[in-house]
Amino acid sequence: MPDELDALAGQLTERLAGLGSALIAFSGGVDSSLVAALAARALGERALAVTAVSPALASGELDGARSVARAVGVRHELISTAELERDDYRRNDRFRCYYCKSELYDRLAALARRRGFAAVLSGANADDTGDWRPGLRAAAEHGVVHPLLEASVGKDQVRALARHLGVPSADKPASPCLASRLPYGTQVSADVLSQVDRAELGLK
């Protein structure tokens, strides 16, 4: 098993090295953390992990992302996204994630152009293709590269490889954005997201 994981890490690292430079859409979850760790190995200072900050980000997630970035040795920056300014997003229909990811990738693509990065990476993995993931459509429209998905790496392999490489978030439970807690059709607002966040902090 370690040999298989080393081979997989080598394959992914080679793919990323071939890009020359890259921004990583970085939430601090295991998928994007693994991509960030591999990109740091492959590209060094030419890799930059970028975390989007908005009212939909749960408390504690930003601190977690910063900690992971330090641990895996990748440069890390923050950007603000304004998905709440999009009527389509606030309406909260089945395509909410499409509008959210469109906002994210608009910002990341613009940052990549300004700073001269060759690609924008995501942590999408092979298991994501079996779910309802309208965000993948937004990624396709922006030319986002999915190294884990390209290599047919599923979630179990992601966690195994992350553990093998010492990524701190290897066993981190999934933590989607706060808007994912709202039933479709329930209007998304900063006040509602804050209420959800406070409730979940209380439960924790």
Side-chain angles (χ1 to χ4, degrees):
M1 186 67 168
D3 289 344
E4 293 176 10
L5 293 174
D6 283 336
L8 179 57
Q11 174 190 341
L12 290 165
T13 301
E14 183 177 354
R15 166 68 171 118
L16 295 174
L19 295 173
S21 60
L23 295 182
I24 306 100
F26 180 67
S27 67
V30 60
D31 301 314
S32 64
S33 295
L34 176 59
V35 172
L38 292 166
R41 287 182 166 212
L43 299 167
E45 289 295 304
R46 293 168 297 155
L48 176 64
V50 182
T51 300
V53 178
S54 80
L57 185 67
S59 293
E61 292 299 304
L62 180 55
D63 287 341
R66 284 174 167 145
S67 176
V68 171
R70 285 194 299 271
V72 303
V74 70
R75 291 196 297 142
H76 184 217
E77 294 183 10
L78 311 181
I79 58 170
S80 295
T81 53
E83 58 269 23
L84 278 169
E85 295 179 10
R86 296 187 177 220
D87 291 339
D88 289 331
Y89 173 83
R90 291 197 307 272
R91 187 172 61 242
N92 192 22
D93 61 19
R94 293 179 70 247
F95 293 93
R96 181 195 67 239
C97 289
Y98 168 78
Y99 303 120
C100 179
K101 293 297 187 183
S102 294
E103 168 72 12
L104 172 64
Y105 294 135
D106 281 349
R107 300 295 177 104
L108 291 180
L111 179 61
R113 285 192 299 270
R114 288 197 306 272
R115 304 275 285 275
F117 287 92
V120 174
L121 310 181
S122 92
N125 67 70
D127 290 347
D128 292 332
T129 60
D131 293 334
W132 173 243
R133 298 275 180 165
L136 289 176
R137 176 182 145 202
E141 292 173 355
H142 289 79
V144 174
V145 176
H146 312 296
L148 302 176
L149 180 53
E150 287 179 359
S152 300
V153 177
K155 194 73 171 191
D156 289 345
Q157 281 181 295
V158 168
R159 292 196 184 280
L161 185 53
R163 284 192 291 269
H164 184 66
L165 297 178
V167 177
S169 54
D171 296 308
K172 184 179 186 292
S175 182
C177 77
L178 292 170
S180 67
R181 280 60 150 179
L182 305 180
Y184 290 135
T186 299
Q187 186 92 353
V188 182
S189 69
D191 286 344
V192 169
L193 295 176
S194 177
Q195 184 178 12
V196 171
D197 195 31
R198 292 195 305 272
E200 292 193 353
L201 283 173
L203 287 171
K204 288 175 183 177

